[in-house]
Amino acid sequence: MYNEVCKKYLSLLRLLVQGSFAVFCLWVGYRFYRFFTWATVGGDYVSRPPAVEAFLPVGALVSLKKLILTGEFDRLHPAGLTIFIAALVIALLFRKGFCGWICPVGFIFNLQEILVSRFRRLLHPPKWLDYPLLSLKYLLLAFFLYLIGWKMNIKAIEGFMRSPYNLMVDAKMLLFFLHPSLTALAVIGFIFLVSFLLRNFWCRYLCPYGGLLGLLAFLSPLQIRREHSLCIDCKKCESACTQSLRVAQKSVILDPECVGCLECVAACPISGCLNLSLLGRKKVSLIWLPLAVILTFLLFYLVAGWSGYWQTNIPDELFKRIYTLAIRQMR
Ligand code: SF4
Ligand code: SF4
Ligand code: SF4
């Protein structure tokens, strides 16, 4: 009964949670813009929001390697590393819950899909095209893992972290969005256009971050399970699946593309046919997955803030100099 109520409001809950994180990210972006303006042209001081580092996953991967090799936590972009580790832990424990419930980019494409599907059905490419396309994000991921995980020794890591590029990377990202090049506009436009045709184009085929989380999610003890005996083969779960997975043909969904959005369970008309399960046995109430994802994420934030590993130790005066240099480099 309780699960049935959860099923009814699940899509709405997901939109609300994703939307709240997206609004928070917009607020972070605005605060960072104000800080950047203060640092480069003056005006009212606004402190730099550490959460802006969430958008620097490559730097976070470098910091993670340093943490593993030396035990030292990055003090330059600590919030970025905290958020990265939180996303990895969430993937290990609760599938790709970061993608399904938190990531604002996923939310944008989720909204786009909701809007487009009012007018037309989004396509899913045939297997001969789907598999090569799927390999793109894993190739990108392999490239980063090779470059950072394999090739970079501690000296190279230290050099990268102290480099002006690493110190100004948040400003470079802002400048990228404020003054996008024609190539960048063409690439972003292409991704959006293709997303009007193919379901989840960016997340499914191109995002290496999602690829990494998907690989970790293989180890997650939480799974979607289907009871053969109850299934009426209506395929409503497959139509609802945000990742176009063949839910109605499997007993357990172990696919690395599964983002734990639970839309399949919400769409299933037969009570108890699709379930969230722990280690393939114990049935778990649906609400626990989003709750666990959000609470884990907040726990990382609180612990980092409490222990002093959230705020950067770069002084504002250095940001002033380094951001001015970023503007000069752009011209
Ligand atoms: S695949 Fe990438 S962009 Fe998509 S929701 Fe996951 S982390 Fe975000
Ligand atoms: S299988 Fe279910 S939980 Fe996984 S992505 Fe598809 S709809 Fe979401
Ligand atoms: S929605 Fe439920 S009953 Fe229908 S095919 Fe999927 S698992 Fe079976």
Side-chain angles (χ1 to χ4, degrees):
M1 172 67 190
Y2 177 59
N3 242 6
E4 293 306 307
V5 177
C6 290
K7 274 169 78 166
K8 196 167 164 195
Y9 296 106
L10 199 115
S11 300
L12 181 63
L13 176 69
R14 196 164 85 89
L15 275 180
L16 280 176
V17 173
Q18 284 182 310
S20 306
F21 276 105
V23 168
F24 175 69
C25 287
L26 282 177
W27 178 79
V28 167
Y30 173 68
R31 296 270 312 183
F32 182 63
Y33 172 75
R34 297 265 320 264
F35 175 74
F36 178 81
T37 308
W38 167 81
T40 51
V41 293
D44 291 343
Y45 175 75
V46 172
S47 62
R48 177 180 175 277
V52 74
E53 295 162 14
F55 297 94
L56 315 172
V58 176
L61 186 57
V62 178
S63 308
L64 180 62
K65 180 162 179 192
K66 184 179 175 192
L67 178 65
I68 293 167
L69 289 180
T70 66
E72 283 174 39
F73 204 94
D74 179 17
R75 304 307 300 256
L76 299 174
H77 298 309
L81 179 56
T82 302
I83 292 167
F84 189 57
I85 297 175
L88 299 183
V89 170
I90 287 172
L92 265 175
L93 297 176
F94 316 119
R95 310 216 61 79
K96 278 167 75 174
F98 179 81
C99 294
W101 291 87
I102 292 178
C103 178
V105 182
F107 174 63
I108 292 171
F109 289 114
N110 193 10
L111 274 189
Q112 187 193 24
E113 178 169 345
I114 291 172
L115 291 178
V116 175
S117 54
R118 284 176 181 266
F119 306 102
R120 60 186 302 280
R121 203 177 144 83
L122 283 163
L123 303 173
H124 182 67
K127 276 185 185 163
W128 62 264
L129 182 59
D130 190 40
Y131 287 143
L133 285 176
L134 265 176
S135 66
L136 291 176
K137 70 178 175 200
Y138 293 111
L139 286 174
L140 278 170
L141 176 64
F143 171 74
F144 286 122
L145 290 179
Y146 171 72
L147 220 62
I148 297 166
W150 183 257
K151 290 288 276 183
M152 271 181 121
N153 57 23
I154 190 65
K155 203 168 153 225
I157 290 173
E158 297 278 9
F160 169 83
M161 291 177 84
R162 280 197 304 267
S163 68
Y165 173 82
N166 187 43
L167 300 183
M168 66 172 73
V169 65
D170 47 6
K172 281 198 173 283
M173 179 181 58
L174 180 68
L175 290 169
F176 171 85
F177 284 110
L178 291 179
H179 309 283
S181 66
L182 272 180
T183 318
L185 280 178
V187 171
I188 294 171
F190 172 77
I191 290 169
F192 263 96
L193 277 180
V194 179
S195 303
F196 279 103
L197 295 173
L198 298 182
R199 201 171 201 181
N200 236 336
F201 179 67
W202 167 260
C203 294
R204 186 169 173 83
Y205 299 122
L206 296 177
C207 178
Y209 199 158
L212 176 62
L213 299 183
L215 294 181
L216 291 176
F218 265 127
L219 304 173
S220 168
L222 280 185
Q223 297 146 359
I224 308 290
R225 282 190 79 85
R226 186 174 64 96
E227 294 290 340
H228 276 295
S229 53
L230 296 176
C231 183
I232 55 169
D233 205 25
C234 65
K235 300 265 193 300
K236 286 191 176 167
C237 49
E238 294 191 358
S239 310
C241 178
T242 55
Q243 310 302 311
S244 307
L245 303 182
R246 299 276 168 255
V247 186
Q249 294 161 31
K250 297 180 179 161
S251 304
V252 189
I253 309 295
L254 293 172
D255 199 296
E257 305 309 320
C258 174
V259 294
C261 63
L262 303 175
E263 299 285 353
C264 55
V265 187
C268 181
I270 307 296
S271 176
C273 180
L274 272 184
N275 303 292
L276 180 65
S277 78
L278 182 66
L279 293 169
R281 290 201 182 90
K282 193 174 169 4
K283 285 184 190 169
V284 181
S285 174
L286 295 184
I287 197 67
W288 281 112
L289 194 145
L291 261 186
V293 168
I294 296 161
L295 290 179
T296 306
F297 198 71
L298 291 180
L299 186 68
F300 269 86
Y301 162 69
L302 290 174
V303 171
W306 168 76
S307 58
Y309 284 96
W310 185 250
Q311 292 279 353
T312 177
N313 64 2
I314 303 174
D316 284 349
E317 284 309 310
L318 182 55
F319 274 127
K320 272 187 168 181
R321 291 210 300 272
I322 210 88
Y323 286 176
T324 310
L325 181 64
I327 292 180
R328 261 193 237 130
Q329 283 183 358
M330 195 190 72
R331 285 176 185 149

